[in-house]
Amino acid sequence: MENGNHTSDFILLGLFNNTGAHLFLFVLMLTVVFNSLIGNSLMIFLIHQDRHLHTPMYFLLSQLSLMDMMLVFTIVPKMAADYLTGNKFISPAGCGLQIILFLTLDGGESFLLAAMSYDRYVAICHPLRYSILMSWQLCLRMTLGSWFLGAADGFMQAAATLSFPFCKSHEIDHFFCEPPTLLRLACADTSVFEYAMYICCVLMLLVPISLILTSYSLILAAVLQMRSTKARKKAFATCSSHLAVVGLFYGAAIFIYMRPKTYRSANHDKIVSAFYTIITPALNPLIYSLRNNEVKEALQKCMYQCIALTHE
C-alpha cells in the first residue's frame, strides 16, 4: 500500500455507526429519503399527465425532480447497504461512476436553479412577454445546457481525482465518493488540481447563485410595488421559501468545495454533504411544487380519477 497506485478497493466509513442513536438517525434518514422519492416521482407524474402543467416552469420543475431522484439513487442505496451489511468496500470504477453521477446531477441542478429563477423573474416582472422571453426553445436549451455542464464537470473531476496515486490508507471518511475527501488520500501534490477545482466551483456555484440573487432582487423590487397586501405577502412567502432552499443547497456546496483545506473536517463534511444529497431533494418538491395551487388542483383531479376508476 505504500508504493504507488493500487487497484484495491476503497472503504467508505459511512455516516452512521452502530449505536442506538445512530440507528434512529439512519431510520429517520430512510424516512426522509422515502418521502423525497414519493414527492419527486409524484411531481414528475402530475406534470406529465396534466396538460395545464405543460409549461416551461413546470418542465423545469420536472427536471429538478428527476435530478433529485437520481441523486438520491446515486448515494443512498450504497450507503444503506454498507450500514446494514457491514460491507463498506467500493471499487475504483464504482467510485468514479459515483463521482460522475453525483457531480452531473449536483452541477446540473446548480444551473437549473438559475434557469428557474430567470423563469420566475420573467413570469412576475414581464408577464405579457413571458412566451417570448421564456420560449420553449430557450427552456430546452437551458435544460440541456444544465445537464451538459454538470456532466462535463463530473467526467473531468472523476478522471482527474482517480488519476492520483493513493499511497495511504484506502479508507474514505465519508458516506460516498466525493473528490475533496478522496484527495486527502493522495500521496502526490494535488495543489494544481485543487486550484482548478476551485476555479470550476466559481463557475458552477458562484455564477449561478449570482444570477439567482439578481433575479430575486428584481422580483422583490416588483413585489414591493404591488398595491395588494395579500399578493405582496404571498409573493414574499414564496420568494423567501425558494431562497431558503437555494441557500441550503449552494451554502452546503460552497462549504465543501470552496473552503480552505486547512479548515476541513471529515465529520463536518459528512454532515454538510448530507444536506445537499438527502435533505434538499426532500425539500424541493414541498417548496417549489406541492404548495402550488395548480399542482394541488392537478393532484386532486388525479385522485378523483383514481377514485372513479375504482368504482367502475
Side-chain angles (χ1 to χ4, degrees):
M1 297 285 289
E2 302 298 330
N3 301 308
N5 208 351
H6 292 265
T7 57
S8 58
D9 293 347
F10 294 105
I11 302 170
L12 292 168
L13 297 183
L15 184 60
F16 305 108
N17 56 38
N18 294 319
T19 63
H22 277 230
L23 177 61
F24 170 76
L25 290 174
F26 175 74
V27 173
L28 182 62
M29 179 212 70
L30 290 184
T31 305
V32 171
V33 167
F34 178 75
N35 290 330
S36 170
L37 294 175
I38 293 295
N40 284 301
S41 58
L42 182 61
M43 276 309 307
I44 294 172
F45 175 76
L46 290 175
I47 291 169
H48 179 266
Q49 288 295 110
D50 196 309
R51 61 183 180 83
H52 294 104
L53 302 182
H54 292 175
T55 64
M57 181 184 87
Y58 288 108
F59 178 76
L60 293 174
L61 283 171
S62 71
Q63 292 297 300
L64 180 67
S65 291
L66 178 61
M67 287 181 177
D68 284 339
M69 286 184 67
M70 291 178 66
L71 182 61
V72 167
F73 280 120
T74 299
I75 305 297
V76 175
K78 171 62 179 169
M79 178 178 67
D82 288 353
Y83 182 75
L84 294 172
T85 65
N87 181 12
K88 300 185 176 184
F89 292 96
I90 184 170
S91 66
C95 204
L97 180 62
Q98 200 171 53
I99 291 172
I100 291 169
L101 291 174
F102 163 69
L103 289 176
T104 296
L105 298 166
D106 221 42
E109 187 165 326
S110 178
F111 288 105
L112 190 68
L113 288 172
M116 290 168 62
S117 71
Y118 170 75
D119 172 79
R120 291 298 80 213
Y121 159 72
V122 174
I124 293 173
C125 299
H126 302 283
L128 299 178
R129 301 176 62 199
Y130 181 83
S131 60
I132 299 172
L133 297 176
M134 191 60 191
S135 64
W136 272 109
Q137 187 179 30
L138 177 60
C139 177
L140 292 173
R141 284 179 179 176
M142 289 193 296
T143 302
L144 290 173
S146 298
W147 281 100
F148 175 78
L149 291 171
D153 182 45
F155 277 100
M156 287 190 295
Q157 288 210 40
T161 301
L162 294 175
S163 68
F164 290 107
F166 298 101
C167 307
K168 301 177 183 177
S169 166
H170 277 212
E171 291 185 347
I172 303 173
D173 195 1
H174 212 319
F175 58 94
F176 70 100
C177 292
E178 196 167 22
T181 309
L182 269 172
L183 291 178
R184 294 178 193 154
L185 306 181
C187 60
D189 181 16
T190 62
S191 57
V192 174
F193 173 61
E194 288 186 56
Y195 180 75
M197 189 165 61
Y198 183 86
I199 298 299
C200 185
C201 288
V202 170
L203 299 174
M204 300 290 290
L205 296 172
L206 295 187
V207 172
I209 199 171
S210 298
L211 294 173
I212 290 171
L213 292 176
T214 301
S215 295
Y216 277 103
S217 297
L218 295 171
I219 289 171
L220 289 174
V223 167
L224 289 172
Q225 295 177 2
M226 292 180 177
R227 294 183 179 181
S228 171
T229 305
K230 184 179 179 180
R232 194 160 54 238
K233 286 183 178 179
K234 183 180 179 181
F236 269 126
T238 302
C239 289
S240 60
S241 59
H242 286 192
L243 287 173
V245 175
V246 165
L248 188 64
F249 175 81
Y250 286 99
I254 289 170
F255 181 86
I256 294 295
Y257 284 91
M258 302 190 72
R259 190 172 35 142
K261 192 175 182 179
T262 52
Y263 292 96
R264 288 177 185 167
S265 162
N267 287 331
H268 290 164
D269 286 357
K270 285 191 284 188
I271 294 169
V272 173
S273 293
F275 276 97
Y276 63 85
T277 57
I278 298 171
I279 305 299
T280 304
L283 291 176
N284 281 339
L286 296 174
I287 298 297
Y288 284 104
S289 306
L290 296 179
R291 293 173 60 197
N292 186 297
N293 288 330
E294 291 178 321
V295 175
K296 288 179 182 177
E297 290 174 5
L299 180 59
Q300 288 174 352
K301 189 191 300 182
C302 182
M303 290 174 67
Y304 290 146
Q305 290 174 349
C306 291
I307 293 171
L309 288 172
T310 57
H311 285 85
E312 286 183 358

